[in-house]
Amino acid sequence: MSKQRFFERMEDLGLALTYDDVRLKTGYSEVLPHELSIASKFSRNIPLQIPVVSAAMDTVTEHTLATEMARLGGLGIIHRGLKPELQAAHVAKVKNHLNGLIENPTCVHATDTIESVLNRKEEEELSFHSFPVLDSENRLVGILTHNDFDFCTDTSRSVQEVMTKKVISAAPSTTLAEAFDIMQKSKKKLLPLVDDNGLVAGLYVFSDVERVQSGQSANFNLDARGQLRVGAAIGTGDGALYRAEQLINANVDVLVVDTAHGDSKPVYDTLKAIKDNYTSIDVVAGNISEPESAKRLVDAGADGIKLGQGPGSICTTRIIAGIGSPQVSAVYKCSQITGPAGVPLCADGGLRYSGDITIALGAGAHSVMMGSMLAGTEESPGRRIFLNGRQWKYYRGMGSLSAMIESSSSRERYRQRDLSAERLVPEGVEGMVAYKGVLEDVLFQYVGGLRAGMGYVGAANIQELHEKADFHRITAAGKAESHPHDIQITKETSNYPGSVSNK
Ligand code: XMP
């Protein structure tokens, strides 16, 4: 039975299914898990090397986790519980973590004192130590390097007394490969690009150039400038437009209109306003769970669609409001609209095991968004909690009472912006998840499970997974058979945290 027939029959019965209701059928396979491609897209113009995106939640994605997500080939969406300027600063930290060509390097003036440069470094939280030095007419006259700082004992001295004056520079058109060559030959770790008027038009730093040239960052999720990609959540209304402007100025790669009901007028108004004002930024909109909603968002110009109303581990929306559709059926039905339209679909929430990624993508999604599966990593915000001999991390819904009291963005996400604390109707809970260690190891297991699943299906890439995936519906007995049974597990594996999961 084809996937289409399977879901149509379920639909005829009025049944909607989720992860635990189904398993993928295995198929003839010529693909080895480590050889297949899992590259995908989050939105029309935002690729993913691995199809995993971290949730825009205050206990999941800030700059530390987003940086690591992109370094591992995925994408992080910085949450909007932060003030717009602070959220933009988180975006900037991810963007500035690595560089190819630095288009607007931070420069200092020859007459500045070293002390004033050090103060500026602290105030602006600049982590680097190299600055092109300009004269009063903003022409390049030297470079201030790490060494110049290290060997300067008197910080009242001026930059021109301390700086390195012998500078090798190159034309603004210099490519990364040419820069690598020039730096190798001249043994210089900095290469400023200077135009015909002597003005600085860019800067290459050797460590960045070498990383790109040697292929070390081949699996990173990098933009055309060699910087890590990052997304950020916005809400709706005028506040959202101001927030979008701050984020775009910080070079965010993709905006996510992040609401509990994506098929609502404020979302369409915001989508249109951003698209009218900024033609080159991708906007993903959500969340939805019905194909008619997907059709309206596609028609409104969304570059990606996020799907999931109430599947999340911390969500109570389905219970409190009585709405929503089990995730796997919702993914399949919406993918019938988004697929032909060329709009990537992200299955957001409700995943518990790596096999759920294969199922979500098999049903038609292009990526998955995870909250609880990433909240327990070292890189998520917040400290570890030691309780009952285990380590945990705090994790809460953005519609939990505490999140809504703390942040107007959370209230707005659940359309309760102007309500007082005692009038709020929470749609989420707060709690903790098991500490899982560093993101790299955690994602390795998730991606390993996806690769294994694709190998069983016989799909060499995500497109083939969409085409070849077919499903069984399973019963409670089938589910019990699927999990380990009739054994007391004495040793947990990191990809099957049996004793802390809620089967
Ligand atoms: P998981 O299952 O990965 O789900 O923890 C994360 C997703 O859940 C959504 N989210 C919420 N949904 N009430 C809800 O109904 C909430 O308080 C809440 N907080 C987050 C969100 O889409 C996230 O990506």
Side-chain angles (χ1 to χ4, degrees):
M1 185 162 47
S2 71
K3 176 167 75 174
Q4 185 183 358
R5 259 192 75 211
F6 173 80
F7 282 108
E8 280 174 5
R9 283 194 63 193
M10 293 301 129
E11 178 79 359
D12 288 346
L13 294 171
L15 267 178
L17 307 176
T18 194
Y19 295 111
D20 273 356
D21 293 321
V22 295
R23 291 297 104 178
L24 285 155
K25 294 182 182 176
T26 58
Y28 171 73
S29 181
E30 288 186 7
V31 294
L32 291 173
H34 63 274
E35 283 174 2
L36 51 84
S37 162
I38 52 168
S40 191
K41 278 184 171 186
F42 179 56
S43 61
R44 281 186 195 274
N45 300 296
I46 300 298
L48 298 166
Q49 304 266 32
I50 64 168
V52 181
V53 181
S54 67
M57 299 172 72
D58 62 2
T59 45
V60 181
T61 312
E62 293 191 341
H63 72 89
T64 310
L65 186 112
T67 299
E68 197 60 2
M69 282 297 296
R71 217 182 56 76
L72 296 166
L75 186 74
I77 310 297
I78 308 278
H79 71 91
R80 63 184 178 98
L82 302 163
K83 294 240 175 333
E85 295 75 13
L86 188 54
Q87 190 189 20
H90 279 255
V91 166
K93 278 195 174 152
V94 182
K95 296 306 295 179
N96 295 331
H97 188 76
L98 299 175
N99 290 288
L101 169 64
I102 305 170
E103 283 177 346
N104 291 308
T106 306
C107 298
V108 296
H109 278 99
T111 48
D112 293 343
T113 61
I114 294 296
E115 189 178 358
S116 71
V117 177
L118 289 172
N119 288 342
R120 182 169 168 201
K121 256 167 68 68
E122 199 174 308
E123 271 163 31
E124 295 178 22
E125 294 184 42
L126 306 176
S127 56
F128 46 87
H129 303 80
S130 307
F131 301 89
V133 183
L134 312 178
D135 67 11
S136 57
E137 283 167 21
N138 287 335
R139 286 175 311 215
L140 183 76
V141 289
I143 284 265
L144 206 51
T145 67
H146 208 308
N147 279 356
D148 298 329
F149 281 104
D150 281 354
F151 292 115
C152 173
T153 43
D154 176 7
T155 57
S156 68
R157 294 176 76 192
S158 69
V159 166
Q160 60 198 346
E161 288 175 80
V162 172
M163 70 187 188
T164 303
K165 293 190 180 104
K166 205 168 160 249
V167 180
I168 303 273
S169 64
S173 58
T174 309
T175 63
L176 201 114
E178 289 165 348
F180 182 70
D181 223 36
I182 297 170
M183 293 165 110
Q184 280 266 315
K185 285 187 183 132
S186 62
K187 295 190 180 156
K188 293 280 180 196
K189 290 197 164 174
L190 297 168
L191 183 69
L193 304 186
V194 176
D195 68 14
D196 291 344
N197 301 319
L199 303 178
V200 175
L203 178 72
Y204 281 114
V205 178
F206 187 67
S207 52
D208 286 323
V209 173
E210 189 192 27
R211 180 180 36 74
V212 177
Q213 281 300 102
S214 63
Q216 284 170 48
S217 48
N219 295 323
F220 293 9
N221 193 353
L222 298 180
D223 66 17
R225 284 183 297 229
Q227 296 184 314
L228 294 171
R229 285 200 170 91
V230 62
I234 61 168
T236 56
D238 290 346
L241 297 184
Y242 174 74
R243 190 181 280 277
E245 189 186 335
Q246 303 295 311
L247 295 165
I248 288 168
N249 289 342
N251 284 330
V252 74
D253 294 275
V254 53
L255 293 173
V256 178
V257 185
D258 165 54
T259 71
H261 191 23
D263 189 11
S264 61
K265 187 168 182 305
V267 173
Y268 291 107
D269 292 345
T270 304
L271 182 59
K272 181 170 185 326
I274 295 174
K275 283 281 160 196
D276 286 351
N277 282 299
Y278 307 98
T279 45
S280 60
I281 185 100
D282 268 17
V283 185
V284 171
N287 279 16
I288 57 149
S289 52
E290 296 296 335
E292 295 75 18
S293 307
K295 170 93 178 62
R296 277 186 282 274
L297 283 177
V298 165
D299 291 346
D303 299 297
I305 290 180
K306 201 150 69 68
L307 178 150
Q309 292 186 296
S313 58
I314 32 49
C315 302
T316 54
T317 298
R318 293 207 190 139
I319 305 303
I320 296 303
I323 59 88
S325 163
Q327 192 75 341
V328 174
S329 289
V331 168
Y332 172 76
K333 287 195 281 179
C334 291
S335 73
Q336 297 306 292
I337 303 294
T338 55
V343 176
L345 185 64
C346 175
D348 174 15
L351 297 105
R352 293 160 59 210
Y353 299 101
S354 54
D356 295 342
I357 308 174
T358 328
I359 291 173
L361 301 182
H366 294 82
S367 66
V368 294
M369 177 174 270
M370 294 176 173
S372 68
M373 284 179 76
L374 301 175
T377 57
E378 180 64 32
E379 291 83 351
S380 70
R383 298 218 183 119
R384 279 181 247 171
I385 302 162
F386 290 83
L387 193 72
N388 298 335
R390 291 193 81 107
Q391 299 185 61
W392 307 84
K393 280 193 97 164
Y394 178 57
Y395 179 49
R396 70 175 178 185
M398 296 310 285
S400 64
L401 188 60
S402 68
M404 286 217 268
I405 289 174
E406 273 170 43
S407 158
S408 61
S409 293
S410 282
R411 293 197 293 280
E412 186 215 89
R413 191 177 197 272
Y414 295 91
R415 299 187 290 170
Q416 303 181 37
R417 180 163 43 195
D418 301 322
L419 298 186
S420 60
E422 54 286 358
R423 291 274 153 225
L424 293 171
V425 180
E427 290 188 29
V429 296
E430 55 188 301
M432 51 190 195
V433 290
Y435 174 72
K436 294 190 175 73
V438 295
L439 184 68
E440 184 163 4
D441 296 344
V442 170
L443 274 187
F444 178 81
Q445 289 300 330
Y446 296 166
V447 166
L450 169 63
R451 286 182 176 280
M454 290 171 68
Y456 280 114
V457 172
N461 53 49
I462 304 290
Q463 175 68 31
E464 278 193 23
L465 181 59
H466 287 165
E467 289 159 10
K468 293 188 175 175
D470 196 2
F471 290 89
H472 295 289
R473 186 181 166 206
I474 60 169
T475 61
K479 186 186 157 197
E481 184 187 67
S482 303
H483 282 278
H485 50 85
D486 304 304
I487 179 175
Q488 180 66 46
I489 296 179
T490 51
K491 198 162 177 19
E492 258 177 32
T493 53
S494 63
N495 63 353
Y496 188 78
S499 64
V500 289
S501 67
N502 165 30
K503 272 184 245 162

Tab-separated table of all heavy atoms in Angstrom, residues 160-183:
chain	number	residue	atom	x	y	z
A	160	GLN	N	48.982	54.296	17.409
A	160	GLN	CA	50.021	54.416	16.374
A	160	GLN	C	51.419	54.107	16.900
A	160	GLN	O	52.302	53.715	16.154
A	160	GLN	CB	49.976	55.793	15.712
A	160	GLN	CG	50.181	56.960	16.626
A	160	GLN	CD	49.678	58.236	15.974
A	160	GLN	OE1	49.424	58.279	14.787
A	160	GLN	NE2	49.520	59.273	16.766
A	161	GLU	N	51.607	54.250	18.222
A	161	GLU	CA	52.915	53.928	18.794
A	161	GLU	C	53.118	52.408	18.876
A	161	GLU	O	54.242	51.926	18.865
A	161	GLU	CB	53.014	54.502	20.213
A	161	GLU	CG	53.155	56.004	20.281
A	161	GLU	CD	53.123	56.443	21.739
A	161	GLU	OE1	54.164	56.340	22.424
A	161	GLU	OE2	52.042	56.849	22.193
A	162	VAL	N	52.013	51.685	19.023
A	162	VAL	CA	52.083	50.252	19.322
A	162	VAL	C	51.839	49.372	18.102
A	162	VAL	O	52.356	48.267	17.996
A	162	VAL	CB	51.011	49.951	20.423
A	162	VAL	CG1	50.872	48.472	20.664
A	162	VAL	CG2	51.346	50.694	21.703
A	163	MET	N	51.086	49.907	17.139
A	163	MET	CA	50.586	49.069	16.033
A	163	MET	C	51.702	48.544	15.115
A	163	MET	O	52.829	49.049	15.123
A	163	MET	CB	49.606	49.890	15.176
A	163	MET	CG	50.274	50.980	14.379
A	163	MET	SD	49.032	52.014	13.569
A	163	MET	CE	50.099	53.026	12.521
A	164	THR	N	51.358	47.555	14.327
A	164	THR	CA	52.264	47.030	13.311
A	164	THR	C	52.057	47.879	12.051
A	164	THR	O	50.930	47.972	11.549
A	164	THR	CB	51.907	45.551	13.018
A	164	THR	OG1	51.975	44.851	14.251
A	164	THR	CG2	52.823	44.932	11.993
A	165	LYS	N	53.154	48.491	11.600
A	165	LYS	CA	52.983	49.431	10.479
A	165	LYS	C	53.157	48.767	9.129
A	165	LYS	O	52.601	49.215	8.127
A	165	LYS	CB	53.978	50.591	10.626
A	165	LYS	CG	53.657	51.449	11.854
A	165	LYS	CD	54.475	52.729	11.893
A	165	LYS	CE	54.119	53.525	13.131
A	165	LYS	NZ	55.097	53.473	14.188
A	166	LYS	N	53.944	47.674	9.139
A	166	LYS	CA	54.176	47.005	7.851
A	166	LYS	C	52.997	46.062	7.574
A	166	LYS	O	52.921	44.962	8.129
A	166	LYS	CB	55.483	46.220	7.930
A	166	LYS	CG	56.103	46.005	6.594
A	166	LYS	CD	57.525	45.497	6.707
A	166	LYS	CE	57.916	44.844	5.396
A	166	LYS	NZ	58.091	43.435	5.449
A	167	VAL	N	52.086	46.551	6.763
A	167	VAL	CA	50.867	45.773	6.521
A	167	VAL	C	50.814	45.335	5.065
A	167	VAL	O	51.091	46.121	4.167
A	167	VAL	CB	49.607	46.640	6.816
A	167	VAL	CG1	48.339	45.831	6.560
A	167	VAL	CG2	49.635	47.136	8.242
A	168	ILE	N	50.478	44.066	4.864
A	168	ILE	CA	50.221	43.587	3.500
A	168	ILE	C	48.721	43.707	3.289
A	168	ILE	O	47.935	43.223	4.118
A	168	ILE	CB	50.630	42.107	3.356
A	168	ILE	CG1	52.095	41.913	3.713
A	168	ILE	CG2	50.284	41.552	1.980
A	168	ILE	CD1	53.069	42.113	2.597
A	169	SER	N	48.316	44.350	2.219
A	169	SER	CA	46.875	44.442	1.940
A	169	SER	C	46.612	43.931	0.523
A	169	SER	O	47.543	43.658	-0.229
A	169	SER	CB	46.383	45.880	2.099
A	169	SER	OG	47.016	46.697	1.142
A	170	ALA	N	45.330	43.805	0.193
A	170	ALA	CA	44.962	43.307	-1.144
A	170	ALA	C	43.726	44.045	-1.622
A	170	ALA	O	43.084	44.776	-0.850
A	170	ALA	CB	44.705	41.802	-1.077
A	171	ALA	N	43.400	43.841	-2.892
A	171	ALA	CA	42.258	44.547	-3.487
A	171	ALA	C	40.939	43.970	-2.965
A	171	ALA	O	40.885	42.798	-2.570
A	171	ALA	CB	42.315	44.399	-5.000
A	172	PRO	N	39.858	44.771	-2.983
A	172	PRO	CA	38.562	44.293	-2.474
A	172	PRO	C	38.053	43.043	-3.188
A	172	PRO	O	37.278	42.281	-2.619
A	172	PRO	CB	37.622	45.481	-2.729
A	172	PRO	CG	38.513	46.671	-2.766
A	172	PRO	CD	39.815	46.197	-3.343
A	173	SER	N	38.493	42.800	-4.422
A	173	SER	CA	37.974	41.641	-5.169
A	173	SER	C	38.674	40.327	-4.799
A	173	SER	O	38.348	39.272	-5.335
A	173	SER	CB	38.152	41.903	-6.667
A	173	SER	OG	39.533	42.116	-6.917
A	174	THR	N	39.641	40.367	-3.880
A	174	THR	CA	40.423	39.174	-3.542
A	174	THR	C	39.527	38.042	-3.024
A	174	THR	O	38.738	38.241	-2.105
A	174	THR	CB	41.475	39.519	-2.453
A	174	THR	OG1	42.197	40.664	-2.898
A	174	THR	CG2	42.419	38.365	-2.190
A	175	THR	N	39.675	36.874	-3.624
A	175	THR	CA	38.848	35.731	-3.179
A	175	THR	C	39.503	35.071	-1.972
A	175	THR	O	40.680	35.319	-1.659
A	175	THR	CB	38.727	34.662	-4.280
A	175	THR	OG1	40.048	34.154	-4.530
A	175	THR	CG2	38.129	35.231	-5.549
A	176	LEU	N	38.738	34.190	-1.339
A	176	LEU	CA	39.242	33.475	-0.170
A	176	LEU	C	40.485	32.656	-0.531
A	176	LEU	O	41.471	32.638	0.199
A	176	LEU	CB	38.129	32.577	0.349
A	176	LEU	CG	38.260	32.145	1.786
A	176	LEU	CD1	37.147	32.753	2.614
A	176	LEU	CD2	38.210	30.648	1.899
A	177	ALA	N	40.433	32.005	-1.699
A	177	ALA	CA	41.576	31.171	-2.119
A	177	ALA	C	42.806	32.047	-2.363
A	177	ALA	O	43.932	31.689	-1.974
A	177	ALA	CB	41.209	30.402	-3.384
A	178	GLU	N	42.598	33.208	-2.999
A	178	GLU	CA	43.732	34.118	-3.246
A	178	GLU	C	44.283	34.642	-1.924
A	178	GLU	O	45.499	34.760	-1.731
A	178	GLU	CB	43.272	35.291	-4.126
A	178	GLU	CG	42.998	34.880	-5.568
A	178	GLU	CD	42.201	35.928	-6.349
A	178	GLU	OE1	41.662	36.875	-5.731
A	178	GLU	OE2	42.098	35.782	-7.563
A	179	ALA	N	43.367	34.941	-0.996
A	179	ALA	CA	43.793	35.449	0.311
A	179	ALA	C	44.664	34.411	1.011
A	179	ALA	O	45.708	34.731	1.601
A	179	ALA	CB	42.577	35.786	1.158
A	180	PHE	N	44.242	33.127	0.907
A	180	PHE	CA	44.997	32.045	1.544
A	180	PHE	C	46.429	32.020	0.992
A	180	PHE	O	47.403	31.932	1.739
A	180	PHE	CB	44.289	30.715	1.272
A	180	PHE	CG	44.935	29.539	1.920
A	180	PHE	CD1	44.892	29.381	3.300
A	180	PHE	CD2	45.600	28.580	1.161
A	180	PHE	CE1	45.492	28.282	3.913
A	180	PHE	CE2	46.200	27.484	1.765
A	180	PHE	CZ	46.143	27.334	3.142
A	181	ASP	N	46.519	32.162	-0.311
A	181	ASP	CA	47.813	32.168	-0.984
A	181	ASP	C	48.701	33.319	-0.515
A	181	ASP	O	49.866	33.125	-0.159
A	181	ASP	CB	47.532	32.330	-2.485
A	181	ASP	CG	48.383	31.404	-3.290
A	181	ASP	OD1	48.619	30.290	-2.809
A	181	ASP	OD2	48.833	31.840	-4.377
A	182	ILE	N	48.134	34.512	-0.513
A	182	ILE	CA	48.897	35.710	-0.119
A	182	ILE	C	49.366	35.581	1.330
A	182	ILE	O	50.518	35.879	1.667
A	182	ILE	CB	48.017	36.990	-0.276
A	182	ILE	CG1	47.627	37.189	-1.739
A	182	ILE	CG2	48.740	38.220	0.266
A	182	ILE	CD1	46.574	38.270	-1.965
A	183	MET	N	48.461	35.097	2.205
A	183	MET	CA	48.813	35.009	3.629
A	183	MET	C	49.884	33.946	3.859
A	183	MET	O	50.778	34.118	4.674
A	183	MET	CB	47.549	34.719	4.455
A	183	MET	CG	46.585	35.888	4.426
A	183	MET	SD	44.942	35.435	4.999
A	183	MET	CE	44.852	36.290	6.532
